[in-house]
Amino acid sequence: MQLVIGRIGKPHGVRGEVTVEVRTDEPEARFAPGAVLRTEPGATPPPTTDEPGVPFRVPAELTIEEARFHQGRVLVAFEGILDRNTAEALRGTLLVVDSADVAPPDDPEEFHDHQLVGLAVVTPAGERLGEVARIDHAPSSDLLVLRRPEGRTALIPFVRAIVPEVDLAGGRVIVDPPAGLLDL
């Protein structure tokens, strides 16, 4: 499974540096010089290069030459991306890593999003409520986005009082929602 760790934004300066919208808890490790990241083109079609008739293709991998934090953003220079036009052509490209390359958390109470997506959500009595569709990272707490059997979704705060147990081996998340939470 491919995990998105960032999305390339607009160019920064004229030497090929780009802004990156970070989507990982470990930006210092993921965007370290020398790191090789796989790419998935974004929604915009890749523009052409300055050479007539030669379309620019987003490389399958990009190697980080330099990365620095500036005003709350990561600025990245990739090997071989030397000018603003080429950097602009990368805009919207997703940077991904394979989930097999991500070490499990040391803390048994911590989970990566990809470990939770697809797990069955049940009550302490075993009643099936649906499955985890995704995790939304809100400012106050993370939210489990529950896909209900009838097709609706519900948001469940990922806090111990409501989610007392995550059983990865059993493929389930036990939730004890307060009355009315799933009806919102």
Side-chain angles (χ1 to χ4, degrees), residues 15-18 30-37 61-68 74-83:
R15 295 192 177 127
E17 206 170 36
V18 295
R30 297 279 175 228
F31 297 102
V36 178
L37 303 175
E61 294 181 339
L62 290 168
T63 302
I64 295 178
E65 189 172 280
E66 182 182 344
R68 60 191 170 98
V74 178
L75 302 177
V76 178
F78 293 106
E79 288 181 8
I81 308 299
L82 305 174
D83 61 50

Side-chain angles (χ1 to χ4, degrees), residues 153-170:
T153 59
L155 299 177
I156 300 175
F158 195 17
V159 295
R160 180 166 292 289
I162 299 173
V163 184
E165 184 180 345
V166 174
D167 180 7
L168 291 178

Side-chain angles (χ1 to χ4, degrees), residues 43-59:
T44 8
T48 59
T49 63
D50 290 338
E51 296 179 50
V54 180
F56 176 81
R57 299 263 181 244
V58 174

Side-chain angles (χ1 to χ4, degrees), residues 67-127:
R68 60 191 170 98
F69 293 85
H70 177 69
Q71 297 180 347
R73 289 190 241 171
V74 178
L75 302 177
V76 178
F78 293 106
E79 288 181 8
I81 308 299
L82 305 174
D83 61 50
R84 186 175 182 89
N85 291 339
T86 309
E88 177 64 41
L90 293 174
R91 187 188 289 227
T93 300
L94 299 176
L95 302 170
V96 299
V97 296
D98 193 311
S99 61
D101 297 337
V102 177
D106 293 333
D107 183 354
E109 298 295 315
E110 186 179 328
F111 305 95
H112 292 298
D113 292 2
H114 72 276
Q115 293 176 295
L116 301 172
V117 173
L119 294 182
V121 177
V122 298
T123 65
E127 175 190 353

Side-chain angles (χ1 to χ4, degrees), residues 142-162:
D142 292 339
L143 298 167
L144 297 176
V145 178
L146 173 65
R147 185 180 307 114
R148 302 280 286 150
E150 66 274 7
R152 294 184 312 114
T153 59
L155 299 177
I156 300 175
F158 195 17
V159 295
R160 180 166 292 289
I162 299 173

Side-chain angles (χ1 to χ4, degrees), residues 16-27:
E17 206 170 36
V18 295
T19 61
V20 173
E21 174 191 320
V22 176
R23 297 185 186 176
T24 178
D25 289 345
E26 302 170 326

